[in-house]
Amino acid sequence: MAIRRYEMSDEQWEQIKDLFPSYRTGRPPKDNRTMFNAILWVARSGAAWRDLPKERYGSWKTVYSRFCHWRDSGLLEAIFRTMTIDSYFENISIDSTCVTAHQHSTGTKKGADF
């Protein structure tokens, strides 16, 4: 599977693939990796569920219902905890910006000494 923007690598998938529930009876579910990558796409892009690319991930309703099920069952929390155990902190970004305000923006009366 070709890695696309916002998707998990094969190494990351190997860490979490056993956490997903196994296939039961009834209609075969969509691939868990595709569904999880769709959830990551929405989370990382900031797009609405309805803007999910249908040709890549399928119906947004299917992805959203899987997200709700995994969220309510605690699976998503377990996945993210597992992913942070062996993290190398390669994606940490520390913001060192500083915001200063002009003395007149403090709301004090005119003529006050600073």
Side-chain angles (χ1 to χ4, degrees), residues 26 34-35 67 79 100 105-106 109:
T34 303
M35 292 290 106
F67 165 76
I79 288 169
T100 59
S105 68
T106 60
K109 288 188 172 190

Side-chain angles (χ1 to χ4, degrees), residues 101-114:
H102 190 271
Q103 64 185 4
H104 296 132
S105 68
T106 60
T108 58
K109 288 188 172 190
K110 283 187 175 183
D113 291 330
F114 289 96

Side-chain angles (χ1 to χ4, degrees), residues 35-98:
M35 292 290 106
F36 190 70
N37 280 331
I39 292 168
L40 290 179
W41 188 92
V42 171
R44 291 178 176 173
S45 70
W49 287 104
R50 290 178 186 260
D51 295 335
L52 190 68
K54 187 174 187 171
E55 62 280 353
R56 174 73 178 147
Y57 301 113
S59 170
W60 70 269
K61 292 178 186 179
T62 304
V63 176
Y64 180 72
S65 88
R66 189 79 61 97
F67 165 76
C68 290
H69 177 70
W70 290 347
R71 177 198 61 202
D72 296 342
S73 70
L75 179 63
L76 287 178
E77 184 177 350
I79 288 169
F80 292 124
R81 286 187 188 277
T82 301
M83 294 300 294
T84 58
I85 290 173
D86 292 328
S87 66
Y88 295 110
F89 302 110
E90 71 267 6
N91 293 323
I92 289 182
S93 175
I94 298 174
D95 186 16
S96 64
T97 59
C98 179

